[in-house]
Structure formats: C-alpha cells, structure tokens
Amino acid sequence: MASLAETKTFRQRLRSLSEALDSGSLQQVARILNGGLSPSDIAHLLESSPPRQRTLLWSLVDKELEGEVLQYLSDDIRSYFLSQLDPQEVASVIESFEPDDLADLLQQLPEAVIQEVLETMDEQDRQRVEAVLAYPEDTAGGLMNTDTVTVRPDLSIEVILRYLRRHRALPAITDSLFVVNRKDDFIGVLPLTTLLVANPAATVREVMHTDLDPIPVTLGDNEVANLFERHDLISAPVVSDSGKLLGRITIDDVVDVIREDAAHSLMGMAGLDEEEDTFAPILKTTRRRAVWLGINLITAFIASAVIGLFEHTIEQVVALAVLMPIVASMGGIAGSQALTLVIRGMAVGQISPQNIGWLLNRELIVGALNGLAWALVVAVAAVFWFNDLTIGLVIAAALVINLVAAAVAGTTLPLILKARKIDPALAGGVILTTITDVIGFASFLGLATLAYS
Amino acid sequence: MASLAETKTFRQRLRSLSEALDSGSLQQVARILNGGLSPSDIAHLLESSPPRQRTLLWSLVDKELEGEVLQYLSDDIRSYFLSQLDPQEVASVIESFEPDDLADLLQQLPEAVIQEVLETMDEQDRQRVEAVLAYPEDTAGGLMNTDTVTVRPDLSIEVILRYLRRHRALPAITDSLFVVNRKDDFIGVLPLTTLLVANPAATVREVMHTDLDPIPVTLGDNEVANLFERHDLISAPVVSDSGKLLGRITIDDVVDVIREDAAHSLMGMAGLDEEEDTFAPILKTTRRRAVWLGINLITAFIASAVIGLFEHTIEQVVALAVLMPIVASMGGIAGSQALTLVIRGMAVGQISPQNIGWLLNRELIVGALNGLAWALVVAVAAVFWFNDLTIGLVIAAALVINLVAAAVAGTTLPLILKARKIDPALAGGVILTTITDVIGFASFLGLATLAYS
C-alpha cells in the first residue's frame, strides 16, 4: 500500500536521521532532511527536537526551503530563528509567505525590522501585506488573503471557462470564484462545482449562489471559525463596511484558529501559553513556570492564613487537620467542573443572558445534591475513624456549604472575568481554587470552633 | 452591510423567539424557527436551551427539517431525540444523512434498532452505510464517504469536462476528482483548479497530481487530522490495503475530529465528557458529576490518611497544619504544568522515545530550580510567621522534594497511562494530585517529625 509504506518510510527516515545525528554524519542528515521530507515535516521535526539538535538541524535546512518551513513553525520557534537573521535575510526568507501569514509574522518583529522588510519588497506585495496589517490579527481582516479570483455577473459560463484557461494556475484552496460588480461590490459566489456542471450558455448571474453572507472584515476570528464550521465552508469572501470585496478566508487558516483556540483553553488552565515550545530550553521554561507557581503561592498563602485563624481549635482537635484537605479538595473539583462547562459553553456560543439563570440554578441544585450525598459518606467515615459524632456533623455541613459555593463560583466566575476582559481560561482556575480553599477551610474550621467551644 | 445586518437579524430573531416563548405564542415561535433559521442555527439554538424549552422547540421544528437539524446536534442530545422515535420514524428522519454521519449515529443505537433502520433503507444506501459501518468510528474508514467522482487516466481533459457537465451537481466539498485504473486502484488526483486551467487536449495522466499519498482505511482519525492540517487538504482519497479506492474524507468531518479531540482534552481534565450537554437536566448532571467527585474523594482520603500518620507531630507543632497545604498545592500546580505539556505534545505527535529523555531531564532541572527558588521565599515567610527556624528548613526541603517528584510524575504519567491504554486526559490529573498530595504531606510532616523529635 503506497501510503502506509510512505508513512513507514517517514518514520524510518526519522530514525535514520536520528542515527545519522548520533553518528555525527551531518552530510547524511542534510541529505535526508532536504531530500525526503516536506517543509511541514521538517517543521514538525524541528518542533519535536531539543534546542541543540534543533539549531543544528535548522542550520542544515536548504536556504530555499527555509521560508516554507518557517510558515509551519509555531510562533515561539519562528521568532527565535528570525531573530538570528538580519532584515535582508528575513525579507528573502519570507518571500514565499502569503500576505496573511506574513502580516502575522511581521507583527511579532520589532517595528524597525518591519519597516526594513517592507522596504525590500516590491510595490504590489507591499500593498498586499499592508492591507492585511491594517486589521487586527484576530479579526477576519487579519485572516484574509487578497488572492481572490473575481468575475462579473453578466458574463457567460463559456467565457469564464475560457478566461480561467488563460491562467497558469489558480490560487491554492480555490473552491469558488467571487462575483462582483463594476465597483467591486460583492454580489455572490460561483462554486467551481457549479461552474463545471452549468450550461455554458448561461450567465454567471443565473447560476451563482447568493445565499452565502460575506464576512465583515471586522468579525472576530472565533466567529469566523463558527461560521465556517456551521456552514461547512472551504473559502469565504471578506467585505468592507460598504460591501466591497476585500479578500477571502480559507479553511486552512480557520483550522489554525480552531487549533490555537483549543490549545489556548487547555494550556491556559495550566498557566501555559498555547504557542508554548514543548522543547524550550531550561532557563526559559524555569522563568515562565516560576511566574505561575508564584501566583498560585499567593493562593496557597491565603488558604494558610485562613487555617492560621483556627490554630487554637486544631490544637484541641487534631483530627481537623487530618480531614480539612477533603473539604477544600472536593470544593475545588466540583467548582472546576462547573467552570470548565461554562468556559466551553461560552466558547461555542451557547450561553446567553436568557439561559444563564437556568444554568446557575441547576448548578446550585446539583452542588447541593452532591454535597449532601458525599457529605453523608464522608461524615460516616469520619465518625468511625475518629470515634467522634461532632466531627462528622461538622464536616458534612462544611462539605455542603463548599460544594454550593463552588457551584456558584464556577458558574459565575467565567462570566464576571469575561465582562472585565480577563481571560477565564487563564485566571478562572486560580481564583476558583482560592475561593473553594478559603470557604472550605473557613467553614470546616469555623463550624468546628463553634462545635468544640 | 449585508452580512452584519444578517448577523444582527439572527440575534434579533433569537430575541423575538425568546419573547414569543415567554408570551406562549407557539405559532409565532414555529414561524420564526422554520422560516428564518438554518438547520445548523436551529441545532445551535436547541443546544443552548434548557430541557423544557428544548423539548418544546423540537416539537415545533418542521418534520422535513428534523433530519438536517439532527446532523448538527451533539451526540447526547441527538440520542435523546432519536430515542423518542420508533425505527420507522428514525429511518425517515435520517434519510438525508451522509453514510459516515449515519454510521456514527447508528452506532449509538441499540442493535435491534440498527437492523430495523437498515431494513427500511433502499439497497444502494444500505450498502453504502454498511461499508462505513464495517470500520471503527475513529479510523479513516469511519470518517469516509463513498461519494467520490472518479476518472480514468487516459481520457482527455476535454472529455472530462463534457462528462462533468452531464452531472446535475457534484457532491459537496468536491475539490478534486480521483484518478483510478480499471481495477479501481487509486492512481492520482485531478484538482478542479488544475482541470480548469489545463489544456483541453491533454490527458488526465499528463496533468494529474501523484504526490498526494492516499489515506489507508485503517489510519486513526487523529493522524488523518494531522495529515489534513500538515498538507492543507480539502478532501483526500481513502484506499484499502491493496490500494483500491474506497471513498474520500472531507475537511468538514476532519474539523469535527479536531474540535472533538480538543474538547475531549479540555473536558476530560475536569472529568466531563466532550459531548457533555451544557443544559443537561439536574438528575443526569448530578449522577455524572457524583462519579467524578467520588473518584476524587478517594484521592482526598488517601491524603488524609497520610496526614493521619503524623497526628502526634501536628499536635506538638500546629503550625505544620497551617503550612502543609502550601507544599501539596505547589506540587500539584508544578505537576499539572508538566502533565499538560506532555499530553499536548503527545497529541500533536511531538514526543518520541528519542526526545523523552531530554524532556524528563529538563523537567527535573526546572522542578529543582523552581523548587529551590520558591522554597527560599516560603521558608523566609514561614520563619518570620512562626518565629521558628526549623519549620523554615523543613518546608523548604519538602517543597524541593515535591516539585521534583511532581516533574517526574507529570512527565512520565501520560506515557505510562497511554502505554496501558488509559486516557491520560481523564486519569492523569487525579493520579497526579494523589501523588503530589501524598509526597507533599509525607515529606513535609515526615521531615518535621524527624526535626522536632
């Protein structure tokens, strides 16, 4: 089977590559690298390599391949490689970039370098890139390219087919031509699949589709992704406020948005960046992780301070110290379930002012029911463990209080944070833990202080 | 601007829909529902509705729209609606499904219902569905459809164009024709963009692309998604072991795989299912959450048991109870960073036997460095807080131990779990927390017992 053989060969090549690296035969490494692997495979290999090997491999990549490989690399690694080049080299390496990718990349470089790079480009390319640079990266404008193929509505299919045959090639991922009037206003789309089955004598106007709404250039990239997903789009026209066709967005860039978005939610919860380099060097990793640990240390100290208020009670009943992590941790778990559900519901656009009341109410009841159920289990265990009825009653009450509090915090936090323009994926977990720790320890030790005094 | 107006109208429609619901005017609700919204919009609306409103809205959806709406619904909700129908109704509702979607759906139904539904279908449709049903859902075979347009290599472009014009329409998301020989072996692809610019007199063989490897029918869906992403594919041929063309996979289904995979990682970490219904009813939600809380309760009891071993020491030095959550929580945070990084690295295929050693080594050093740095901070704070030098030394040592242990556990756990075919996203966090709690409490209280005895 061609493909499986191919896949095996890819893995085999990787293995022989790593053998060649081990044996120090750089010529052979370069031959495997530039001979058998596609630019995206090389990028994948670089991303999967520890720093020293990565630098070595990069130095062996053919100059002509560098630009294409860079396009497939994650921001972190690409910026590093580009920072090693002077503006002239940058300009020559990124020649092959599409305007949207180029604009993204330029936005990561210092202003002075951007200007130098733009100056080395020819007039037409510069205008294209500047058109994209004018829009924020996370909008339709930042995602679009200007490589549209446009046709007029009054031409016949026959004429269009002849017109297309004069091209040497059509832009990649062209599934439709865009129909525009004399003023470049967007009118409709002519899918290639329609073009190919249409009567050659028909006019474009007669067969074009007008049920697809063009994408406003200012629309957020997540909404663009939702539109593509909901309507199974391959490419879509982007228009200005006045309806003029500005460019198009293609599914490959939308898939990147979806992937980055998903990575952001997942990595953000652990305080990591979505473009995090898996094989970042030790010092860089240590610095980045240290910040997140420091933030969480504050949370931990707040929890300790709460426990500190009840030192006297713990001294009397040391069983409290043994059981108190249960109350805090169950609250944290219950809260993170509500938090994750709401963050995801918000991401896919399911949560609105109309249904948030119902959701909060359900989470409250679920929290109370699970609080009661597990409170019973924990209370029975505690009573038998320490042979003390009071401690069972206290931990049961504290568990119900903390699970209800966790439900409220987990459900409302993402909404509150979003309203204040704070990223819920990043900050939600830390704040939630602080709340469930404080309420968990305070309710358990507080009730115990009352019960045992 | 057409589209923004359209978007506003969609939101306005939603608002008038919710007003109509509030006022109880069901006729108006039905009019808005079936008149102005696309099937995917209706599905989105159903997913965003609490149970009672959802059931009401579903009862108002036009019979002819039901099938298409079902296709856009998440598994949970779709299964529920289908379970309300008898097999005859199921068969009529799902008539419009593509074979791959239909196969997915049938796999969720009881065996008896599957058979009944298949029997009501016509011969050709049944064969198509059975072809897909033969492959596991999470493989290329389970993702593929059989709606390929195939051509022979020795025909001219001119003939192909004439042949296509005899079609009333081409299948949705057709960006290429597949070239096969007499025995249906896959030979190459003919992109529509190539077809349109090629010389009409040229043969298919002369202009077809042969650099795209077909996808083996047994390839896992994640690898299919990686291939699509790496090569910017829109559709790709699926072949049997012997190279025979079986069908094709299109980008829309791949985007679903990517989304589901991302949702699985994110939701799994919180013990939620990726198809979790945001607005599931109270009892269903309570049951599902209870399981996860129960699993985590075991973890919490294990931690408590460890603390219980040192009751005597805590009785003597109650400051230990105040500070011990800091050691456990810092370990949990550091471990979850390593865990998340490795889970993600595995998902995108970056981690291999060749580089895992480097990664583990780096995580160890990062853990030790951050352990030392934050140990210093915590130690100084503890010494001043409790005016006790010993407690500072003890907590510093425990923090270093726990952060190094967290690095080892976070890095190796996903690999160990995967090797044992346990889902790291689901089980990783719980096991990690158990480890960092146990090591955190044991090292801190154990060292304290030695120091204060």
Side-chain angles (χ1 to χ4, degrees):
Chain A
M1 179 173 35
S3 164
L4 207 60
E6 189 56 30
T7 310
K8 267 190 202 143
T9 319
F10 174 61
R11 279 195 199 132
Q12 279 167 356
R13 278 202 211 105
L14 281 194
R15 203 167 309 123
S16 35
L17 194 74
S18 109
E19 282 163 13
L21 274 170
D22 287 345
S23 73
S25 144
L26 295 190
Q27 263 191 316
Q28 201 178 335
V29 173
R31 207 168 41 77
I32 300 170
L33 206 57
N34 300 303
L37 300 175
S38 72
S40 58
D41 289 335
I42 298 176
H44 184 69
L45 182 66
L46 290 169
E47 287 183 346
S48 310
S49 300
R52 198 185 309 196
Q53 184 182 331
R54 183 184 290 165
T55 308
L56 176 65
L57 287 172
W58 177 242
S59 71
L60 295 174
V61 172
D62 273 351
K63 280 277 165 247
E64 309 90 82
L65 284 176
E66 279 182 354
E68 258 197 284
V69 172
L70 278 175
Q71 288 190 54
Y72 289 98
L73 284 175
S74 64
D75 291 355
D76 235 22
I77 306 174
R78 183 164 54 199
S79 307
Y80 173 74
F81 285 148
L82 284 174
S83 71
Q84 313 283 78
L85 305 174
D86 60 44
Q88 220 73 40
E89 288 177 300
V90 172
S92 87
V93 156
I94 62 186
E95 243 174 17
S96 59
F97 278 45
E98 293 191 349
D100 64 330
D101 295 328
L102 193 46
D104 283 0
L105 183 146
L106 286 177
Q107 278 160 347
Q108 296 164 20
L109 299 176
E111 184 64 35
V113 180
I114 300 183
Q115 286 313 323
E116 278 193 77
V117 170
L118 283 176
E119 274 162 33
T120 65
M121 299 175 69
D122 71 34
E123 185 60 25
Q124 197 191 5
D125 284 348
R126 181 163 62 241
Q127 278 178 359
R128 280 193 190 148
V129 173
E130 281 173 343
V132 180
L133 269 178
Y135 303 102
E137 204 184 338
D138 59 350
T139 63
L143 280 177
M144 75 178 180
N145 274 317
T146 49
D147 57 352
T148 53
V149 182
T150 57
V151 293
R152 291 285 162 77
D154 43 1
L155 297 176
S156 73
I157 296 301
E158 174 94 66
V159 170
I160 302 295
L161 288 171
R162 270 211 309 275
Y163 162 72
L164 290 179
R165 256 199 305 276
R166 285 211 301 271
H167 289 68
R168 217 159 42 88
L170 297 179
I173 312 194
T174 295
D175 69 320
S176 322
L177 313 180
F178 296 146
V179 188
V180 294
N181 67 12
R182 215 168 278 265
K183 289 185 297 179
D184 253 358
D185 294 330
F186 173 80
I187 303 178
V189 298
L190 178 60
L192 298 190
T193 48
T194 303
L195 180 67
L196 285 164
V197 299
N199 176 358
T203 64
V204 169
R205 192 187 302 279
E206 287 164 359
V207 297
M208 72 181 184
H209 295 202
T210 53
D211 51 353
L212 175 73
D213 295 318
I215 294 175
V217 69
T218 51
L219 197 71
D221 57 0
N222 289 324
E223 289 185 71
V224 171
N226 284 337
L227 278 179
F228 265 72
E229 208 186 348
R230 225 181 284 165
H231 301 288
D232 289 345
L233 302 177
I234 303 302
S235 73
V238 177
V239 295
S240 71
D241 279 0
S242 60
K244 203 180 284 299
L245 180 71
L246 296 177
R248 65 180 191 130
I249 296 175
T250 49
I251 182 78
D252 54 331
D253 293 321
V254 171
V255 168
D256 289 345
V257 169
I258 293 174
R259 283 259 198 200
E260 270 165 35
D261 221 51
H264 175 76
S265 301
L266 179 69
M267 310 282 277
M269 290 258 184
L272 300 168
D273 190 88
E274 69 264 29
E275 289 278 337
E276 190 94 12
D277 170 9
T278 309
F279 296 92
I282 291 172
L283 282 181
K284 196 170 181 182
T285 308
T286 306
R287 264 201 317 272
R288 286 189 175 176
R289 303 274 179 92
V291 175
W292 191 242
L293 285 167
I295 293 170
N296 280 278
L297 184 57
I298 298 172
T299 295
F301 265 120
I302 294 173
S304 287
V306 172
I307 300 171
L309 298 175
F310 303 98
E311 263 185 81
H312 187 66
T313 312
I314 296 173
E315 222 155 13
Q316 289 178 298
V317 190
V318 78
L320 296 174
V322 176
L323 293 177
M324 67 185 186
I326 293 179
V327 182
S329 108
M330 290 292 274
I333 295 293
S336 81
Q337 292 203 302
L339 183 82
T340 305
L341 193 80
V342 173
I343 286 180
R344 180 161 155 75
M346 281 166 49
V348 295
Q350 285 177 353
I351 290 173
S352 66
Q354 277 94 45
N355 57 30
I356 184 65
W358 185 91
L359 202 63
L360 179 59
N361 190 46
R362 184 199 62 188
E363 289 299 323
L364 265 174
I365 299 175
V366 170
L369 288 176
N370 267 324
L372 287 169
W374 289 113
L376 194 70
V377 173
V378 175
V380 169
V383 168
F384 280 96
W385 189 351
F386 296 101
N387 202 8
D388 175 357
L389 184 64
T390 311
I391 209 163
L393 293 173
V394 168
I395 201 167
L399 266 176
V400 174
I401 292 172
N402 206 22
L403 260 67
V404 170
V408 177
T411 313
T412 54
L413 254 182
L415 297 158
I416 295 170
L417 290 173
K418 206 185 169 194
R420 293 174 175 263
K421 304 212 182 296
I422 302 169
D423 180 7
L426 201 61
V430 183
I431 300 179
L432 178 78
T433 311
T434 312
I435 294 173
T436 50
D437 276 3
V438 166
I439 294 184
F441 290 133
S443 60
F444 180 55
L445 298 175
L447 289 172
T449 305
L450 293 176
Y452 288 102
S453 64
Chain B
M1 182 171 37
S3 165
L4 206 60
E6 190 55 31
T7 310
K8 268 189 202 143
T9 319
F10 174 60
R11 281 198 198 128
Q12 280 167 355
R13 278 202 211 102
L14 282 194
R15 202 163 315 124
S16 35
L17 194 74
S18 109
E19 281 164 13
L21 275 170
D22 287 344
S23 73
S25 146
L26 295 189
Q27 262 192 317
Q28 202 178 336
V29 173
R31 206 167 44 78
I32 300 171
L33 207 58
N34 300 304
L37 300 176
S38 72
S40 58
D41 289 336
I42 298 176
H44 185 69
L45 182 65
L46 291 169
E47 286 183 347
S48 309
S49 299
R52 197 184 310 190
Q53 185 182 331
R54 183 183 289 165
T55 309
L56 176 65
L57 286 173
W58 177 243
S59 71
L60 296 174
V61 171
D62 273 352
K63 281 275 164 251
E64 310 91 80
L65 284 177
E66 278 182 356
E68 259 197 281
V69 173
L70 277 175
Q71 286 190 55
Y72 288 98
L73 284 175
S74 64
D75 292 355
D76 235 24
I77 306 176
R78 183 164 53 201
S79 307
Y80 173 73
F81 285 147
L82 284 174
S83 70
Q84 313 283 80
L85 304 175
D86 60 46
Q88 220 73 40
E89 288 176 301
V90 172
S92 88
V93 157
I94 63 186
E95 241 175 20
S96 60
F97 278 44
E98 295 192 346
D100 63 332
D101 295 329
L102 192 47
D104 283 1
L105 184 145
L106 286 177
Q107 276 159 348
Q108 295 164 21
L109 299 177
E111 186 64 35
V113 180
I114 299 183
Q115 286 312 324
E116 278 194 75
V117 171
L118 283 176
E119 275 163 30
T120 65
M121 298 174 70
D122 72 35
E123 184 60 24
Q124 194 189 9
D125 283 348
R126 180 162 63 242
Q127 277 177 0
R128 281 194 190 149
V129 172
E130 282 172 343
V132 181
L133 269 178
Y135 303 101
E137 203 185 340
D138 59 349
T139 63
L143 279 178
M144 76 179 179
N145 274 318
T146 49
D147 57 352
T148 53
V149 181
T150 57
V151 294
R152 291 286 163 76
D154 43 1
L155 297 175
S156 73
I157 296 301
E158 175 93 63
V159 171
I160 302 295
L161 288 170
R162 271 211 309 275
Y163 162 71
L164 290 179
R165 256 199 306 273
R166 285 211 301 271
H167 288 68
R168 216 159 44 87
L170 297 179
I173 315 195
T174 295
D175 70 320
S176 323
L177 313 180
F178 297 145
V179 187
V180 295
N181 67 14
R182 216 168 279 267
K183 290 185 296 179
D184 253 358
D185 294 329
F186 173 79
I187 303 177
V189 299
L190 178 60
L192 299 189
T193 49
T194 302
L195 179 66
L196 285 165
V197 299
N199 176 355
T203 65
V204 169
R205 192 187 302 280
E206 286 163 358
V207 297
M208 72 180 185
H209 295 201
T210 55
D211 50 353
L212 175 74
D213 295 320
I215 294 176
V217 70
T218 51
L219 197 70
D221 58 358
N222 288 323
E223 288 186 71
V224 171
N226 284 336
L227 277 181
F228 265 72
E229 209 187 346
R230 225 181 284 165
H231 300 289
D232 289 344
L233 302 177
I234 303 303
S235 74
V238 177
V239 295
S240 72
D241 278 0
S242 61
K244 202 181 285 300
L245 181 70
L246 297 176
R248 65 178 190 131
I249 296 176
T250 48
I251 182 78
D252 54 330
D253 293 319
V254 172
V255 168
D256 289 345
V257 169
I258 293 175
R259 283 259 197 198
E260 269 166 35
D261 221 51
H264 175 76
S265 301
L266 179 69
M267 311 282 277
M269 290 257 183
L272 300 168
D273 190 87
E274 68 265 28
E275 290 278 337
E276 189 94 13
D277 171 9
T278 308
F279 296 93
I282 291 172
L283 282 182
K284 196 169 182 184
T285 308
T286 305
R287 266 199 315 274
R288 286 189 175 175
R289 304 273 179 93
V291 176
W292 192 241
L293 284 167
I295 294 170
N296 279 278
L297 184 57
I298 298 171
T299 295
F301 265 120
I302 294 173
S304 287
V306 172
I307 301 171
L309 299 176
F310 303 99
E311 262 186 81
H312 187 65
T313 311
I314 296 173
E315 221 155 13
Q316 288 179 297
V317 189
V318 77
L320 296 174
V322 176
L323 293 176
M324 66 186 188
I326 292 178
V327 182
S329 108
M330 289 292 273
I333 295 292
S336 81
Q337 292 204 301
L339 183 82
T340 305
L341 193 80
V342 173
I343 286 181
R344 177 160 157 78
M346 281 165 51
V348 295
Q350 285 177 352
I351 290 174
S352 66
Q354 277 93 45
N355 57 32
I356 185 66
W358 185 91
L359 202 63
L360 179 59
N361 191 44
R362 185 199 63 187
E363 290 298 324
L364 266 174
I365 300 176
V366 169
L369 288 176
N370 267 324
L372 286 170
W374 289 114
L376 194 71
V377 173
V378 174
V380 169
V383 169
F384 279 96
W385 188 351
F386 295 101
N387 203 7
D388 174 357
L389 185 63
T390 312
I391 209 164
L393 293 173
V394 168
I395 201 167
L399 266 176
V400 174
I401 291 172
N402 206 23
L403 259 67
V404 170
V408 177
T411 313
T412 55
L413 254 182
L415 297 159
I416 295 170
L417 291 173
K418 207 187 169 191
R420 291 173 175 263
K421 305 213 183 294
I422 302 169
D423 179 8
L426 201 61
V430 184
I431 301 179
L432 178 79
T433 311
T434 312
I435 295 173
T436 52
D437 276 2
V438 166
I439 295 185
F441 290 132
S443 60
F444 181 54
L445 298 174
L447 289 173
T449 305
L450 293 177
Y452 287 103
S453 64

